[in-house]
Each structure stands twice: as structure tokens, then as C-alpha cells.
Amino acid sequence: MPDHTFRVNGEQVTVDVADDVRLLWVLRDILGITGPKYGCGINVCKACTSHLNGEAFNPCAVPVGDLGPDDEITTIEGLPATVGRDLHPMQRAWLDHDVAQCGYCQPGQIMAAVALVRRVQSEGRAVTDADLDSLRNICRCGTYPRIRAAISAAATDG
Amino acid sequence: MGDAIARRRFLGYVLAAPTLVAAAELGRTRAAAAVQRPPAPAQLPSPEITEIVDLNDMMTVAAAPTANLISVEVHADGSVSFALPRAEVGQGVTTSTAMLIAEELGVPIERVRVTLADARPELVFNQLTGGSNTTFSTYTPVRVAAAVARTRLLDAAAADFSVPAARITLDGGTVSTPGRNGVDIGKLAAKASSARVENVAVELRERESFTVIGTPRSRIDALEAVTGQKKFALDLHIPNALPTMVCRPPTVNGEVGSVANAAEVRAMPGITDVAQISTGVAVRGETFGQCIDAVSALRVSWRPGTAEGKSDDDVREELRAAELPLVPKPPLTDTVDETFTFYFRSNSALEPNCAIADVRADRAEIWSSLKSPIVAKQTIAARLGLPQRAVTVHVTEGGGSFGRKLFFDGALEAAEASQRFGKPVRLMWHRADDSRQGRTHPMATSRVRISYKGDTVLRYDQRHTSVSTDLGHGLGEIITATAARLPVGDIGFAETFFQLSQTMSYDFGFNSRLLSETDKGFNTGSMRNVYSPDVTCARELMVDELATRMDRDPYELRRAFLRDDRSRKALEKVAEAGDWGRPMPHGLAQGIAFHAEYKAVSACLVELDCRRETVERPIRNAVAGPRVTKVVFAVDVGLAVNPRGLEAQMMSCINDGIALALTSSLHLRDGHFLEASWDNYFYTRQWNTPPEVRIIVLPDSSDEPGGAGELGVAASVSAVACAYRRATGTLPTSFPINHATLSFEPKPTVPPVPQSPTDGRDHAW
Ligand code: FES
Ligand code: FES
């Protein structure tokens, strides 16, 4: 079986698995990184949302063979390190608003929220209702209103 | 006054242990006394039934004869632990329980660790999480156990300090007396322990002195949740428990005929095992991705299922045939009379059905999020042919339930697969499986007739007809075991459940509500709030219809007919805070609704935008539909232990209600459900959720907490439906309102699961 080398949360990893195995399973089943959750496996629910070279993406839809040694994956576990703190400001906002209910969707929600705010800020504008409406992450516990409040707060404070 | 103190006096225990273990019996609440009163006249259905006894009372009473102990432990490091015999699935019961302990014991909440107890068969009926009953049934026992711990710590300190216990205080985890340095409770934990079981009489804290209960607190597991450290069943590391999936039939509950290529599939990369089990063909492999490949490659011939050939219309016909007749219309009266249809809905949580099982020749160990772990343990033991005591069932944190985790479909399958393979398994349902073969809220119709004359309402009749709801997760046993002691006469348990959960909140003269069920061929269960979203939605729409006929305002009419002040206050609150009756542009309207259950009352006011440009706003692979722009929700649960948690539950219920009214249903076609993805089953998404939500927790109206986890769904779905009627001028009679339009391309049923895409990099953003 082929070896695949890439970076996860600041460390280089090498896994020995078939090319077409999607990254979500490599993370969860082989590397034991369980922050990204399974909710559909077809890039719909967004529970697995993580970052690839700083952009939001869904590892359930990326074959591990598509990754190279320079690719940097960040999962929820590695998010605080990207700002060199114990917690990313978005995670703080999540705590301030007591967003999580069951919590299953929340790693994906937070990773998507970070990408959204980064994009909106790079465009030099404030987060709008339309931006929030564009988030596709499912929360079956219906925490959407607190997610919106937390993102808006993090965007303003950050 | 003396009475008030007597009501706070209880008996607990200190258990024999090297550290302080304080205990109390579950199932001792005042509500138990209410049921032992002579039954009311046994006319069924009696409009007052839920005032004499409701589902909460029944579940609480059921526990009494077999009650067993729950215990609070104080450790040498000053921490306090408690194993809660309930499931945490997002509803916040670990947090509210930690609050009760912190309050009564006098420790900071951060020191309290609440875990979920393994299945404890000796608790019999008392380890079922359902009916929004957890806080109601554990409120007093948990506090009694904590108060015993506090009493023992004070006594131990008194001996240590040589001062009377009355001069000692316990606060913030520190025991102190004037003129001495405080001592941490951890230092006293061993001294306060006991070598034998002893009775300890305690007096609970006065309500007026509460500093934790009734204050808004964040969830105790919030940090774990936002850092990805919270562990769900599939996240646990159990050695050699490899990913396992099941290739499932193309129709509901179809059965395996034969498998053409098992050996070939077993040889696929990463695959270790393939075997037939009772629900399909199980495969085990290195990764779930390879299991998906294997499931897709299997060539299975299938035998028919339990709904073969049926579509929505066939079930609609069955329901029509099963509907109980209404009494003849009273002479010389006017009536409003309508039948509403509620299609199948999925109670799939975001965490799919899943479990880890390690079955050996002489024992088995299971890990899963389970709301009825005792029944799960008994059933799994029977299926495996093992004695019950050889099966250990661990209850893990759950990623949502909505009624789904009352059942243990995943755990039972995992046990079976592990036994067949002779290896541990980590079994997961694919989303498509969860949607197509998982439990559903049964399709139902509800006919409502209100008879009136002038300004007087003479009678209210409702005939609810439903595909059978499977209550076979322990609630059935509770009802069977206690029904004889309840004033409901000799009726079946679904009907008992129905009668006990439905309240007639309006003074509409004589009223009758009857349930009839048909067709046991579907995988159903008690989806969040069970019968109430449909029953109440039908009722509230007809109340609006009645208001139109009587030329009265819908809010004013409700207010006039509600039976008590507590209910009226909730309704008045939303009308006032939501500015009821404010002018709205054409195509937009307000809707208002009321619902009472679980010893709680709730009212909801929504504003709905049904303008064409809103309904047809373009969103990829989605249903846009009418947009709820604002919700004002008022709730009175008697006593709100954690107002922030209560708000969270109402917010969740509101989003469920919106989905039920507008977008989410399963389409039954030719023996199977079409939905196989979250982009098929349209649960509320960000583009459907109200941008403005205001939840008002009304001042406490009781000394005891009612239920909250499901309470808000019924009022929400009803308010949205009523707003739709007012905005469009048409009475909607089938739900969700978009059911007639299929808004997606159905995925194939063979293979049963869709392959994962490979273009994820192209969509990074
Ligand atoms: S699991 Fe990746 S998007 Fe759903
Ligand atoms: S918090 Fe449960 S799915 Fe979002």
C-alpha cells in the first residue's frame, strides 16, 4: 500500500493506506483524530469541516492521495495553535454564548465560522445575515441562533 | 410554616465506603401522593385527566416500589462525583444535575463531575430518559443525597473543631467556623465516611437561599465540546474495535435472500470480515471508507420488507379507514371541522445510530448512547444467549436524540455483528441508512371538530389516527405496570400515553380526544414531543379558524378561553413582547399558539414571510420556502433550574417546530423512503432559522421543575402553521407544507449508500 505524507495540526504524518480512502477516515480511523465528525460522508452536513492550508474543506470528500507533503490540515484540535493561544477567539465566543448542546456538530461549526469570518474580514466588511445564512453546517439540535450570535460577536471583537 | 419545613425534610443514607458516599432513593416525590388519591370519575377521555396525573407522574410513580439508590461521592481531592442514571444527549441534564449538587452541598459547580451510569437493572423503570422527566424525577433525590453529604461533612467538622455543628458553615467547598481557618471538604471526606449504612435525616435548603438553582449557567461540558475533546461512542478507543457497517435492503425492513459475492468482498482492501446478520450483511474493515466500498460492492438478493409496495397515499388510505367516528353533530350548532395530514418524519440525530460491541464467548461489553439501557441490556443478552449479568452496557454521551436513542438498534446490531465475527466492532449507520431504515415519527391524521353557537363553544372533538408508534423501549412496560393504578380505565398503552400527554387547555365545553393506531410495518418511535406537535397544530389551526368564524382576534379568543391564569400569563407575555397585531406588509403575518404539557406552559408568537421573492430565493440543493423572521417564546416550567439551559431547549424546539411545519418530511414511495441525505431531508438550516429569537423564561410558578426538553415543539409548529394561514389566506391541511413537491433527486437504493465524493479540494473556501 502506498505511503502518504502530509501535515496535521503542525506535525508531519505518514500513513500507509490506499489512495482513494477519504481523509476523514484517515484522520479518525487511522490517526485517531476524532474532532472532525461523520454526519453524512457526502460533503453535505459539514460536521467534518476542517482547514486545508487555511481554507475550510470537508475531509469526507478528499482522497488521501490528493494530499502532498506541503499540505497542512488543521482540525478543531489544532485550531488554538493557529493563533498561539489556549483557545481560538471563536471557541471563546462559543463558550460565552454557551452554543453547544449535544456538541456533535460543533467542531465543524467552529471551523466553518473561522473561515467565514476570515473571508468576510479579508473583504473588509462586517458579517451580515446573508453571510450567516450561507453556512451549510447542520445542527440537528437547532443551536443556529446562538451560532449566529457567537460568530457576530467574534467578528466584532476579533 | 411548619408545613414548609416538613416538606423540606427527607431521609437519606450514608453508605459504607472509605470515603463519603451519600445516597438517596429515586422516585420519592410528592407527586406520588397525588396518584394515590381516589381516582376521579372514570369517564374517558376526561378533560381533566392530565390535571390528576400526567405522564411525568406516571413515570415517577412507576419507580417508587423498586426505587434504588443514587449516590453523591466526596473525594479526598475535594471533588464531588455523581453517576446519573439518565442519558445526556444535548438536553443539559448533566449540567442541571451538577447545579443541584453544588447548591445543596455548598461546593462550586466546577468541582462537581457528573458521569452517565452504566445500565443498572435494579433501577427497573428508573433509568429511562424520556417524557422530559429527568429533572422532574431527580430534583428531590439528587438534592437529598447532596444534603446528606453536607450534613455528614458538618458533623465531621464539628467533631474535629469541637464546636457544635450549628456553628459551622459549608460554603464554596470549605468548612469553616468563626475564629478558625477553613478546611476543604476533601480533607474531611474520609472522616465523614461510614463503616456501615446509616439513615441520615436532612432538611433541604430553603428556596429563598438558593444561589445556584435558578441562575443561568453554561454547560459543564462546553469546553470539551468546543475543543473537539467531547467523546461520543464512535470516538472511543476500544482495542481492535474496527469500523463496521451493514449493507441494508432497498425497502423498509427487507430481508437478505442470498449474498452472491461475500468471498470477493472479504478480499477487498482493508476488509477483514463479512457476515449476514438479521438486518443485512455486516462488513468490518480498517476504515469506514473501505466499509462503504464493501457495502457498495456486495451483491445481495433481497426479500420483501414490512411496507412492501406502499406509498404515502396508501398509508393515507389506511389512516382514513382506521379513524374513529365522531359523535353526530349537535343540532342547531355551527361547526368548524377539518382533517389534517402529517407525513412521516425522521428523528435521525446528527450522530447516526452507532455502538461499539466486544462480544466474547462468556461476556459482552457495549458502549452506546442509550436512553433505555436496561431494556437494551436485557434484549442484547437474550439475542446473544448470554445471562444478563454477563452483559455490561456503558452509556456514552449522545450526539442528539429526538427520541431516536430510546431505541438501541445500533447497539443490538453491533452485538450481533461482534458475535458473528468473534471480534470487537465499531458499528455505524450511514446517513442514508439512518434516514431510510431508521426510526420515524409515524404518519398521522388529526381530525378536529369544534361546535359552537354564538359566542359559546359547546364541544371540542379530536380524532387522532396514526401509524403505530413503537413504545417498546421500556415506556410500554412502565405503562403496563402502572396503568392499573391510574384513573384511566383499561386501555392499551399507546392510548394511555396519548391520554396522559394531551391536555385540553381551553374551556371548550365537553371535549374528547381519541387515538387510534394502525399498521405496525414501520420503524417508528416517540419523536421529540411525540403526539403533541401534530395534535396541537391541528387544534391551534382550528382555534384560528374558529376565531375567523366568530369574527374574533385569534389572540383575544385564546386568552378568553384558556383555563387558568398561568396559561394566560404566558400567552399575554408573547403578545405583548411580540407586539401582536402590529401591521405587516402583504404576504407577511404573525401567528400565535399555546401548548401545555410536562407540568409546564408555553406560548409562541412568530412572524412569517410568505412573499414570493422570499419563498423562491435561490439556495443550492435546498428548500428555501417561507422564512420565519422572528420568534417570541414564553415558557413557564414551574421552576427553572437553569434558565440558560431552558432557553437552549426552547431554541432547539423552535427550530424543530419550523422544520415540521414547513420543510421536513420523509416521502414513502414503493416501500421505501426517498430521503438519504441532509440535502434531502430538510431539517431547519441557517437559511431557514429566524434571525431574531427572543425566549422569555417566566418567573417560577411552582416549587418543582416541570419538563422542558420537548415542551417547545408543539407551540412552535402551531404558531408557524397559524402564521402561514394568516399570511396566505389558505388553511394548510397537510404538513410539512412543501411535502407535495419533491425538492431533490432521490439517490438509488442499490447500493444502499452513496459513495463519498472526491472533489473536496475544489470546494475549499
Ligand atoms: S461528513 Fe463530511 S460533510 Fe458530512
Ligand atoms: S449541537 Fe447537537 S447537532 Fe449541533
Side-chain angles (χ1 to χ4, degrees), chain A residues 99-106 109 138-143 147, chain B residues 89-90 350-351 399-400 402:
Chain A
V99 174
Q101 289 189 24
C102 82
Y104 195 84
C105 72
Q106 302 296 348
Q109 301 280 4
I138 292 266
C139 176
R140 184 59 185 81
C141 296
T143 65
I147 289 174
Chain B
V89 291
L350 189 52
E351 172 191 38
F402 321 107

Side-chain angles (χ1 to χ4, degrees), chain A residues 1 17-18 20-22 25-26 28-47 49 52-58 60-63 66-68 71 76-77 79-80 86-87 90-92 94-107 109-113 115-117 119 129 132-148 151, chain B residues 88-91 217-219 221-223 225-232 234-235 237 243 245 269 286-290 292-293 346-352 398-400 402 426 428-432 527-528 617 619-622 627 642-645 647-649 651-653 655-656 676-679 681 683-691 693 747 754-761 763-765:
Chain A
M1 264 190 289
V17 65
D20 64 345
V21 174
R22 310 301 190 270
W25 311 120
V26 173
R28 291 186 52 90
D29 301 340
I30 299 177
L31 297 170
I33 298 170
T34 55
K37 299 290 182 249
Y38 167 85
C40 70
I42 53 172
N43 205 351
V44 160
C45 75
K46 310 292 176 180
T49 306
L52 170 57
N53 306 325
E55 286 187 292
F57 86 116
N58 292 89
C60 67
V62 175
D66 281 9
L67 297 177
D71 283 320
I76 187 75
E77 289 92 338
L79 181 66
D86 287 351
L87 286 177
M90 196 61 77
Q91 291 169 308
R92 285 231 164 275
W94 243 246
L95 294 179
D96 291 344
H97 290 80
D98 200 29
V99 174
Q101 289 189 24
C102 82
Y104 195 84
C105 72
Q106 302 296 348
Q109 301 280 4
I110 292 169
M111 297 307 278
L116 177 73
V117 170
R119 189 173 66 180
D129 269 332
L132 296 168
D133 281 3
S134 75
L135 288 168
R136 295 192 71 96
N137 299 58
I138 292 266
C139 176
R140 184 59 185 81
C141 296
T143 65
Y144 301 115
R146 285 188 181 175
I147 289 174
R148 295 170 89 94
I151 295 176
Chain B
E88 170 62 59
V89 291
Q91 81 279 45
R217 300 290 169 133
S218 291
R219 292 181 61 102
D221 57 358
L223 183 63
V226 304
T227 52
Q229 299 306 315
K230 184 167 174 178
K231 296 280 181 257
F232 301 90
L234 291 170
D235 302 335
H237 290 289
M245 290 178 86
E286 296 291 325
T287 66
F288 279 110
Q290 288 155 323
I292 291 173
D293 295 343
S346 168
N347 62 2
S348 200
L350 189 52
E351 172 191 38
F402 321 107
R426 184 149 48 103
M428 180 180 88
W429 287 38
H430 193 280
R431 175 59 48 201
M527 181 155 155
R528 193 182 206 178
R617 66 198 186 279
I619 303 170
R620 172 177 64 87
N621 296 339
R627 180 82 185 257
N642 181 7
R644 186 172 296 152
E647 273 178 32
Q649 285 309 297
M651 179 182 301
S652 178
C653 289
N655 282 301
D656 280 21
S677 150
W678 288 114
D679 277 354
Y681 186 79
Y683 180 70
T684 305
R685 305 282 278 267
Q686 284 287 5
W687 52 84
N688 307 115
T689 207
V693 178
K747 295 190 190 306
Q755 188 49 273
S756 297
T758 54
D759 61 352
R761 282 201 82 134
H763 299 293
W765 56 280

Side-chain angles (χ1 to χ4, degrees), chain B residues 207-406:
Chain B
R207 175 111 176 248
E208 293 66 37
S209 68
F210 284 174
T211 57
V212 183
I213 296 173
T215 62
R217 300 290 169 133
S218 291
R219 292 181 61 102
I220 56 173
D221 57 358
L223 183 63
E224 289 173 329
V226 304
T227 52
Q229 299 306 315
K230 184 167 174 178
K231 296 280 181 257
F232 301 90
L234 291 170
D235 302 335
L236 301 176
H237 290 289
I238 307 301
N240 205 26
L242 289 189
T244 299
M245 290 178 86
V246 177
C247 179
R248 294 175 200 280
T251 58
V252 173
N253 299 328
E255 288 178 18
V256 178
S258 61
V259 185
N261 61 343
E264 196 182 297
V265 171
R266 202 173 290 119
M268 287 174 67
I271 297 303
T272 61
D273 303 84
V274 177
Q276 188 178 329
I277 60 170
S278 48
T279 48
V281 182
V283 300
R284 177 177 176 275
E286 296 291 325
T287 66
F288 279 110
Q290 288 155 323
C291 291
I292 291 173
D293 295 343
V295 165
S296 307
L298 276 166
R299 288 205 311 278
V300 184
S301 71
W302 298 99
R303 289 205 298 262
T306 53
E308 216 57 19
K310 286 184 190 170
S311 297
D312 282 337
D313 288 347
D314 304 303
V315 180
R316 183 75 186 71
E317 216 29 68
E318 289 178 59
L319 293 171
R320 201 191 315 277
E323 185 175 292
L324 296 173
L326 286 175
V327 293
K329 178 165 111 59
L332 307 175
T333 58
D334 293 313
T335 56
V336 286
D337 188 337
E338 191 58 75
T339 302
F340 300 89
T341 302
F342 301 90
Y343 288 95
F344 283 102
R345 284 136 290 175
S346 168
N347 62 2
S348 200
L350 189 52
E351 172 191 38
N353 287 347
C354 61
I356 294 179
D358 185 355
V359 178
R360 310 290 171 94
D362 58 345
R363 70 196 145 92
E365 204 167 352
I366 312 287
W367 292 260
S368 191
S369 170
L370 301 165
K371 289 179 131 191
S372 55
I374 300 172
V375 185
K377 180 178 166 119
Q378 292 162 343
T379 312
I380 289 168
R383 176 72 61 91
L384 296 176
L386 287 173
Q388 222 192 100
R389 64 186 144 66
V391 179
T392 306
V393 172
H394 305 287
V395 179
T396 58
E397 301 278 342
S401 169
F402 321 107
R404 187 53 83 87
K405 290 182 166 81
L406 283 162

Side-chain angles (χ1 to χ4, degrees), chain B residues 84-297:
Chain B
L84 179 67
R86 290 290 185 276
E88 170 62 59
V89 291
Q91 81 279 45
V93 292
T94 49
T95 304
S96 56
T97 300
M99 289 175 69
L100 302 182
I101 295 170
E103 181 76 80
E104 209 57 59
L105 188 42
V107 296
I109 192 168
E110 297 74 29
R111 289 217 203 168
V112 184
R113 222 170 45 240
V114 178
T115 54
L116 306 179
D118 286 354
R120 294 176 54 189
E122 76 280 6
L123 292 178
V124 193
F125 296 135
N126 218 334
Q127 198 173 3
L128 180 82
T129 312
S132 291
N133 176 264
T134 296
T135 308
F136 184 78
S137 60
T138 60
Y139 181 64
T140 300
V142 169
R143 286 188 305 146
V144 169
V148 168
R150 174 190 169 80
T151 305
R152 292 288 298 190
L153 288 163
L154 289 176
D155 288 347
D160 229 26
F161 297 168
S162 308
V163 294
R167 303 234 335 258
I168 303 177
T169 55
L170 198 181
D171 209 16
T174 304
V175 181
S176 44
T177 190
R180 294 187 65 133
N181 287 338
V183 177
D184 190 88
I185 54 165
K187 298 233 157 39
L188 293 165
K191 280 197 193 100
S193 71
S194 178
R196 58 198 172 83
V197 177
E198 276 177 42
N199 272 322
V200 180
V202 295
E203 193 178 304
L204 299 180
R205 282 190 200 266
E206 276 179 282
R207 175 111 176 248
E208 293 66 37
S209 68
F210 284 174
T211 57
V212 183
I213 296 173
T215 62
R217 300 290 169 133
S218 291
R219 292 181 61 102
I220 56 173
D221 57 358
L223 183 63
E224 289 173 329
V226 304
T227 52
Q229 299 306 315
K230 184 167 174 178
K231 296 280 181 257
F232 301 90
L234 291 170
D235 302 335
L236 301 176
H237 290 289
I238 307 301
N240 205 26
L242 289 189
T244 299
M245 290 178 86
V246 177
C247 179
R248 294 175 200 280
T251 58
V252 173
N253 299 328
E255 288 178 18
V256 178
S258 61
V259 185
N261 61 343
E264 196 182 297
V265 171
R266 202 173 290 119
M268 287 174 67
I271 297 303
T272 61
D273 303 84
V274 177
Q276 188 178 329
I277 60 170
S278 48
T279 48
V281 182
V283 300
R284 177 177 176 275
E286 296 291 325
T287 66
F288 279 110
Q290 288 155 323
C291 291
I292 291 173
D293 295 343
V295 165
S296 307

